[in-house]
Amino acid sequence: MLEQLHQLKERALSELQGLSSVDALEKWRVAYLGRKGALTNILRSVGQLPVQERPTVGQEANLVKLALKQAYNEKAEAFKREETLRLLEQEHIDVTLPGRPVQPGYLHVSTQTLREIYAIFAQMGFQVLETPEVETDVNNFQLLNIPPYHPARDMWSTFYTTHEGVLLRTHTSPGQIRAMRMYCPETIRLLLPGKCYRYEAVTARSESMFYQVEGLAVGKHVTMGDLKGVLISFARQMFGADRRVRFRCSYFPFTEPSVEVDMDCIICGGEGCRVCKHTGWVEILGAGMVHPQVLRNGGYDPTVYTGFAFGLGPERIAMLKYRIDDIRYFFGNDLRFLHQFA
Ligand code: PHE
């Protein structure tokens, strides 16, 4: 019997050595240590032995059982360790990899263009003043020499509110009135930027909402020469030092004289192309000397003060600068467009 136990132990341990999986280990456990396992059978048969043999065999059997259990535990531990190592290897996290960058926010192309414009005019002493988008008919039209039923109103049809005489401004020019009334009799050099609205068909060239930047300078010796110098300087800083600028006679009710300002086409260099409608020139803004009545409406005596004003569209400027062929992209919220200015 003792010999049998000894052999069993040898066999079990050598089998255990060669096991290569958790499944095989479990089968091994059932075969030797299970309720119907080899060792259990031997232990059970101890009772049938002659009385004097029982203690030695029983003791030996228990020792074998302990030895097998311990060997089993060690093997199970080893498998567990291997498994952990394998997982660590497989699900390896390389903490030295740089993190995935978070896409930071950035400014809308209109805002970027506005800021470029502010920076250029800031060098010439212009400060930024924001004025309301919701305006009165009086400021938007009447104090700018556009009385009710004036035909010029056709150029500036807008959205009206349910309050009589309150509308969304069609241009930033009503800011001229507000600014003058705020600063009179000081001399002023201001940029009045902001959103404007027009009730009109939306096309590649015109939106119902867009930005404008109004410029206004009022003082005792402000001349048309100043107007030209400032605008030529702006065009060259914005679009390149060799830009040519031309001033064409025009009409606005609130300036006299009035001009429209063209720049040689940056797309074709003045040769003539689709963008400049084959004229070699593109219009970039409207301007003029502040009309004496508008100066008076702002509180300034037109026999003492003069001023110039201009109004430019940052989207138009950006379209020229970045060769964008449709103004609807600006507020269409298509990220493929917006990301290009990140
Ligand atoms: N307000 C004019 C427009 O929207 C532009 C302008 C501004 C013209 C200032 C002259 C002086 O068309």
Side-chain angles (χ1 to χ4, degrees), residues 144 155-156 170-174 176 198 210 212-215 252 254-255 258-259 285-288 308-312:
L144 297 174
M155 260 163 70
W156 289 288
T170 55
H171 49 180
T172 42
S173 300
Q176 290 188 33
R198 289 200 192 162
F210 54 91
Q212 271 196 349
V213 177
E214 191 89 4
F252 297 102
F254 34 90
T255 46
S258 301
V259 288
L285 54 91
F308 68 76
F310 58 86
L312 57 86

Side-chain angles (χ1 to χ4, degrees), residues 89-102:
E89 192 53 44
Q90 252 175 26
E91 297 173 10
H92 182 69
I93 298 172
D94 184 353
V95 292
T96 65
L97 277 178
R100 279 177 210 153
V102 175

Side-chain angles (χ1 to χ4, degrees), residues 126-285:
F126 286 77
Q127 281 179 278
V128 172
L129 175 71
E130 290 196 30
T131 53
E133 289 169 35
V134 181
E135 260 297 1
T136 59
D137 185 282
V138 172
N139 283 342
N140 194 76
F141 292 124
Q142 296 174 41
L143 294 173
L144 297 174
N145 290 337
I146 313 170
Y149 310 112
H150 190 285
R153 288 209 176 201
D154 290 352
M155 260 163 70
W156 289 288
S157 185
T158 188
F159 300 99
Y160 293 86
T161 69
T162 46
H163 287 268
E164 179 77 27
V166 178
L167 44 79
L168 300 187
R169 66 177 173 192
T170 55
H171 49 180
T172 42
S173 300
Q176 290 188 33
I177 300 293
R178 289 179 178 269
M180 285 192 282
R181 289 184 171 178
M182 211 178 278
Y183 287 104
C184 180
E186 287 172 42
T187 57
I188 48 178
R189 252 178 283 175
L190 295 171
L191 285 188
L192 313 164
K195 286 185 196 123
C196 301
Y197 302 83
R198 289 200 192 162
Y199 177 68
E200 62 186 348
V202 173
T203 67
R205 291 174 62 83
S206 51
E207 259 284 10
S208 55
M209 193 274 291
F210 54 91
Y211 278 92
Q212 271 196 349
V213 177
E214 191 89 4
L216 174 68
V218 178
K220 286 193 175 149
H221 306 286
V222 178
T223 69
M224 186 88 181
D226 296 319
L227 167 67
K228 292 176 76 173
V230 163
L231 293 178
I232 291 170
S233 174
F234 165 72
R236 292 186 177 159
Q237 288 186 66
M238 194 75 189
F239 292 103
D242 49 357
R243 289 276 72 85
R244 287 188 299 147
V245 177
R246 103 182 156 175
F247 295 77
R248 250 182 315 114
C249 289
S250 186
Y251 168 74
F252 297 102
F254 34 90
T255 46
E256 179 58 35
S258 301
V259 288
E260 256 160 293
V261 181
D262 299 339
M263 188 177 72
D264 56 335
C265 180
I266 57 166
I267 310 291
C268 63
E271 300 269 299
C273 68
R274 210 167 51 89
V275 172
C276 60
K277 294 185 201 136
H278 303 284
T279 62
W281 296 95
V282 285
E283 188 196 319
I284 55 168
L285 54 91

